[in-house]
Amino acid sequence: MAMDERKFRILQAIIDDYILTAMPVGSRTISKKYDMGLSSATIRNEMSDLEELGYLAQPHVSAGRIPSAKAYRLYVDQLLHSGQIDKMDPASVQNYFEGRLRKMEDVVSHAAQVLSSLTHYTAVVTPPTSPEPRIRNLQLVPVTGQSALVVIVTDSGIVRDAMIQTDEGLDDDALFAISKMLTAKLTGKTFKEALDAIGELVPAMKERQKLLTGIENLAKQVQEQQAAPKIAIGGSSNILSYPEYSDVEKARSFLSLIETREKLAQLMEPTGQMAFTIRIGPETGMEEMRDLTIVTATYMTGNESHGTIGVIGPTRMQYQKVLSILNTMGKQLSELLGQDEN
Amino acid sequence: MAMDERKFRILQAIIDDYILTAMPVGSRTISKKYDMGLSSATIRNEMSDLEELGYLAQPHVSAGRIPSAKAYRLYVDQLLHSGQIDKMDPASVQNYFEGRLRKMEDVVSHAAQVLSSLTHYTAVVTPPTSPEPRIRNLQLVPVTGQSALVVIVTDSGIVRDAMIQTDEGLDDDALFAISKMLTAKLTGKTFKEALDAIGELVPAMKERQKLLTGIENLAKQVQEQQAAPKIAIGGSSNILSYPEYSDVEKARSFLSLIETREKLAQLMEPTGQMAFTIRIGPETGMEEMRDLTIVTATYMTGNESHGTIGVIGPTRMQYQKVLSILNTMGKQLSELLGQDEN
DNA sequence: TGTTAGCACTCAACGTGCACGAGTGCTAAC
DNA sequence: GTTAGCACTCGTGCACGTTGAGTGCTAACA
């Protein structure tokens, strides 16, 4: 016995209904609500087959059926290949980005907010990480006689700053001169390369000791943070609206998963070259995610760097809606960040 | 009939027990667990009196009593006046701040994390807000031919930056000259005053039009953000551990309160000159907070600016522990931010 | 006059038994 | 291959009795 056209249509109807109601769906429901031109008895036979094939499960003997992870997998694969994704009105997303946002962090956290309020699920957004950011400019801003602010602008437009102690007897003009010199030396270099370059400078500039170590520290710090990008989360409490999570223990385990960013970062990793990565329940490989699905999409910025936007919800997620929102939003973000690199 | 010493001791025992167990406490429990040298019958009489006075309530006729908001108020007032707060070992808090943190945002969000993990309640921390930040320095950092980064350092050490479009034909030296000039004009001014000052400059510098409006926008933006400081939250899901919030509907209403920062900001406002502000249930004036207490403490930084740290938990909060943690942590923060203004 | 023991009373919580209904699986007829 | 019919299963909701924690009151005691 194999999967045929009719079985698939019935399975689809079951999944659609279950996504809506979160209740086990019976043969009668399908034959009535989704007019297939078949009686409940026939549906029953087919459902029995589908169960044997591993697409459906029964919570208990006289209840309706619920789709398995395998069923959702089939369902989304079909969705992805049928090209039904682009139906969303892009304008409704575009509006959210009207006021031009300045800082990368703001864009990312705002995107997470928007995404969660559009989907009613929990949204996660990672900032774009160019594999190796390069320094475009370095400037020292005098603050007091003994301290200055060092500002580094990278080619991806991200700004890093830190307060450092300066050496005595450096006025504004001296700092400016040093800024110019350092910019000339460091432009186009990665932070790793910059560290070496600064190292070479040290002997020649003994009296600038303090200042150089300050800059060195900042560069090191940036390198470390590079590895752990800041993930923005929106609507973490949305999950509580769904009956699956009316059990407080489950809700807690979800929320603490969300709060530990490492696992989340792992889930956001795109697999392969696909536009979307969909991990359904067990496919995530995490026990806490057994009843959850995470859908992610990547977006691109100008200089080959890319970030990820994603949605976490129950396995009975509104896949079609989520996919089209992610699709549109990914494009918007790519545009926003591609055209203007702030 | 009035409150006497013995009634108060019994009330205290009831509150202590209820804080621990979250179950209505009966007369027998008190007479056995807390040896008062009184039989349960006597306790019963006293409890009856306490109920009449409004300190206790009965969920239903044959259940134990639970403390009212009025009782908690009496309890914490006594706690505050008895000076039992300082018993905590400061070292356990100090360790958390070992590695010097650079940015105000990081300090604040880190403090929220620490506070929530120490108390097991939800923690909220507002950054210090000097009533009127003043500009200490302004610098333009060239990025490309047409864009630059403007960086403003304020007297509280907070850095604001934004990418702006520049006018054509400005090289590094020209930008530096403008930076110097603007710094001279704006140092010591508030952002509001700075806006006026820039306005005056406009006619004299027609060919710097773009650049000036860019700076103007940043100043405006800062002014707006000034009103809505970024509150950091830690352990928002901690509340779910408490039996009061095993009802998902309640949990949801709490989490969405937490997510809308305006109301939260309102709750963080200190009242009067007290070291602590304690708002118990109805005292908050918010329906969502009926069963919750928020305890806040202020901390000071060098230049007269102050921020708030606080804890939100069920009304049956472990007040003594929370107060001493807040006390120690407030001091640590004041020290950390007082000595070094980053 | 304050304290305590005893007793009747109340009421939430829990378990049991029962009827109901949704849903299935199987069989026989079309 | 499809469908109608029927017996069977099992979760849900409801009524009902039991249990136990806790109170309020009264009478006795110090």
Side-chain angles (χ1 to χ4, degrees):
Chain A
M1 166 190 48
M3 191 72 173
D4 60 15
E5 164 67 16
R6 196 174 72 178
K7 277 192 178 52
F8 184 70
R9 268 185 34 239
I10 290 174
L11 183 57
Q12 236 174 352
I14 294 172
I15 296 177
D16 284 338
D17 201 74
Y18 188 68
I19 285 175
L20 244 61
T21 64
M23 304 283 281
V25 8
S27 55
R28 231 177 107 89
T29 315
I30 297 300
S31 109
K32 274 188 154 177
K33 252 167 70 176
Y34 305 80
D35 45 18
M36 312 232 122
L38 294 174
S39 80
S40 67
T42 312
I43 308 274
R44 256 193 318 271
N45 289 329
E46 296 287 40
M47 280 166 92
S48 174
D49 290 355
L50 284 168
E51 182 165 2
E52 206 172 317
L53 288 166
Y55 291 107
L56 294 178
Q58 245 180 326
H60 59 86
V61 63
S62 76
R65 308 293 215 288
I66 60 175
S68 67
K70 190 176 167 188
Y72 288 120
R73 168 50 59 198
L74 190 69
Y75 180 87
V76 299
D77 283 348
Q78 193 276 337
L79 213 57
L80 289 174
H81 289 106
S82 73
Q84 294 174 22
I85 292 168
D86 233 329
K87 284 199 293 189
M88 201 206 172
D89 178 18
S92 65
V93 175
Q94 192 143 34
N95 290 342
Y96 283 101
F97 287 113
E98 253 178 5
R100 180 65 62 80
L101 294 163
R102 305 240 160 212
K103 277 199 158 188
M104 184 54 74
E105 274 180 28
D106 293 341
V107 176
V108 166
S109 87
H110 191 231
Q113 295 297 332
V114 171
L115 195 50
S116 74
S117 78
L118 282 177
T119 59
H120 300 115
Y121 297 116
T122 299
V124 275
V125 179
T126 60
T129 50
S130 65
E132 284 277 358
R134 287 173 187 279
I135 295 171
R136 186 183 279 173
N137 203 308
L138 183 153
Q139 192 96 355
L140 294 161
V141 182
V143 175
T144 69
Q146 296 86 41
S147 67
L149 183 80
V150 44
V151 179
I152 299 180
V153 181
T154 68
D155 56 358
S156 55
I158 296 171
V159 173
R160 296 294 184 158
D161 54 66
M163 206 65 93
I164 59 170
Q165 301 299 307
T166 58
D167 310 271
E168 309 270 312
L170 290 175
D171 62 8
D172 294 12
D173 294 302
L175 284 176
F176 180 63
I178 299 177
S179 303
K180 264 186 106 169
M181 188 270 285
L182 284 174
T183 300
K185 289 265 184 216
L186 302 179
T187 296
K189 288 199 163 58
T190 65
F191 280 91
K192 201 176 152 73
E193 292 164 0
L195 277 173
D196 296 339
I198 295 173
E200 282 170 25
L201 282 174
V202 170
M205 298 174 65
K206 271 182 202 152
E207 67 280 28
R208 309 284 190 259
Q209 197 69 47
K210 272 189 180 175
L211 202 153
L212 281 179
T213 40
I215 297 176
E216 240 178 329
N217 284 339
L218 174 59
K220 270 184 203 153
Q221 197 185 316
V222 169
Q223 266 211 302
E224 282 163 19
Q225 287 190 9
Q226 189 73 13
K230 287 188 179 170
I231 301 177
I233 297 171
S236 50
S237 67
N238 280 358
I239 203 86
L240 295 180
S241 333
Y242 301 98
E244 287 90 333
Y245 280 75
S246 56
D247 174 10
V248 180
E249 213 25 69
K250 277 192 178 177
R252 257 185 70 71
S253 108
F254 171 73
L255 285 171
S256 68
L257 167 69
I258 289 294
E259 281 181 6
T260 59
R261 309 283 158 126
E262 294 88 21
K263 285 203 171 182
L264 210 50
Q266 205 177 315
L267 285 170
M268 298 290 286
E269 285 290 306
T271 58
Q273 294 295 320
M274 311 288 286
F276 299 104
T277 300
I278 306 182
R279 293 183 176 86
I280 301 169
E283 294 175 14
T284 58
M286 293 184 191
E287 182 52 29
E288 306 95 308
M289 291 281 295
R290 198 172 24 144
D291 301 323
L292 294 173
T293 286
I294 178 165
V295 184
T296 58
T298 53
Y299 64 90
M300 294 294 186
T301 60
N303 45 1
E304 291 178 11
S305 63
H306 63 275
T308 320
I309 59 179
V311 166
I312 303 180
T315 43
R316 55 167 199 102
M317 181 186 282
Q318 297 207 40
Y319 290 98
Q320 186 149 346
K321 185 177 151 202
V322 166
L323 284 171
S324 69
I325 290 176
L326 279 178
N327 189 36
T328 331
M329 191 136 167
K331 278 184 193 153
Q332 301 286 349
L333 265 180
S334 299
E335 240 170 71
L336 178 73
L337 298 173
Q339 65 185 334
D340 178 330
E341 298 185 334
N342 289 352
Chain B
M1 167 191 50
M3 192 72 172
D4 60 14
E5 164 67 17
R6 195 174 73 177
K7 278 192 178 51
F8 183 70
R9 268 183 36 236
I10 291 173
L11 182 59
Q12 233 173 352
I14 293 172
I15 295 177
D16 284 338
D17 201 74
Y18 187 69
I19 284 176
L20 244 61
T21 65
M23 303 283 279
V25 9
S27 54
R28 228 174 139 208
T29 315
I30 298 300
S31 106
K32 274 185 153 181
K33 253 169 67 178
Y34 305 79
D35 46 18
M36 312 231 123
L38 293 174
S39 81
S40 66
T42 311
I43 308 276
R44 260 200 306 279
N45 289 329
E46 296 287 41
M47 279 165 91
S48 174
D49 290 355
L50 284 168
E51 181 165 1
E52 204 172 317
L53 287 167
Y55 292 106
L56 293 179
Q58 248 180 325
H60 58 88
V61 62
S62 77
R65 307 294 215 288
I66 60 175
S68 68
K70 190 175 167 190
Y72 288 119
R73 168 51 59 198
L74 189 68
Y75 180 87
V76 300
D77 282 348
Q78 193 274 339
L79 214 58
L80 289 174
H81 289 106
S82 73
Q84 294 174 21
I85 291 168
D86 232 329
K87 283 200 295 189
M88 202 206 173
D89 178 18
S92 66
V93 174
Q94 191 144 34
N95 290 341
Y96 284 101
F97 287 111
E98 254 178 5
R100 179 67 61 79
L101 294 164
R102 303 233 162 217
K103 279 200 157 187
M104 184 53 73
E105 275 181 26
D106 293 341
V107 176
V108 166
S109 86
H110 191 231
Q113 295 298 330
V114 172
L115 196 50
S116 74
S117 78
L118 282 178
T119 59
H120 301 113
Y121 297 116
T122 299
V124 276
V125 179
T126 60
T129 50
S130 66
E132 284 278 358
R134 287 172 188 279
I135 294 171
R136 186 183 279 173
N137 203 307
L138 183 153
Q139 192 97 354
L140 294 161
V141 182
V143 175
T144 69
Q146 296 86 40
S147 66
L149 183 81
V150 44
V151 178
I152 299 181
V153 181
T154 68
D155 56 357
S156 55
I158 295 171
V159 173
R160 298 294 184 157
D161 54 65
M163 205 67 88
I164 60 170
Q165 302 298 308
T166 58
D167 310 271
E168 309 268 314
L170 291 175
D171 62 7
D172 295 13
D173 294 302
L175 284 176
F176 179 63
I178 298 177
S179 303
K180 264 185 107 167
M181 188 270 286
L182 284 174
T183 300
K185 289 263 185 219
L186 301 179
T187 295
K189 289 200 162 56
T190 65
F191 281 90
K192 201 177 153 72
E193 292 164 0
L195 276 172
D196 295 340
I198 295 172
E200 282 171 25
L201 282 174
V202 171
M205 298 173 65
K206 272 182 203 154
E207 67 281 27
R208 306 283 190 259
Q209 198 69 47
K210 271 189 181 174
L211 201 153
L212 281 180
T213 40
I215 296 175
E216 239 177 330
N217 284 340
L218 174 59
K220 269 184 203 151
Q221 196 184 314
V222 170
Q223 265 212 303
E224 282 162 20
Q225 287 190 9
Q226 189 74 14
K230 287 189 180 170
I231 302 177
I233 297 171
S236 51
S237 65
N238 279 359
I239 203 87
L240 295 181
S241 333
Y242 300 98
E244 287 90 334
Y245 280 75
S246 57
D247 174 10
V248 180
E249 214 24 69
K250 278 193 178 179
R252 258 186 69 71
S253 107
F254 171 74
L255 285 172
S256 67
L257 167 69
I258 290 293
E259 280 181 6
T260 59
R261 309 284 159 124
E262 294 88 22
K263 286 202 171 185
L264 210 50
Q266 205 177 315
L267 286 169
M268 298 289 287
E269 284 290 306
T271 57
Q273 293 296 320
M274 311 287 285
F276 299 104
T277 301
I278 306 182
R279 294 184 174 84
I280 301 169
E283 294 175 15
T284 58
M286 294 184 192
E287 182 52 28
E288 307 96 307
M289 291 281 294
R290 199 172 23 144
D291 301 323
L292 294 172
T293 286
I294 178 165
V295 184
T296 57
T298 54
Y299 63 90
M300 294 295 184
T301 61
N303 44 2
E304 291 177 9
S305 62
H306 63 276
T308 320
I309 59 179
V311 166
I312 303 180
T315 43
R316 55 169 198 100
M317 181 186 281
Q318 298 207 42
Y319 290 97
Q320 186 148 348
K321 185 177 149 199
V322 166
L323 285 171
S324 70
I325 290 175
L326 279 178
N327 189 37
T328 331
M329 191 137 164
K331 278 185 193 154
Q332 301 286 350
L333 265 180
S334 299
E335 242 171 70
L336 178 74
L337 297 172
Q339 62 186 333
D340 178 330
E341 297 183 336
N342 288 352

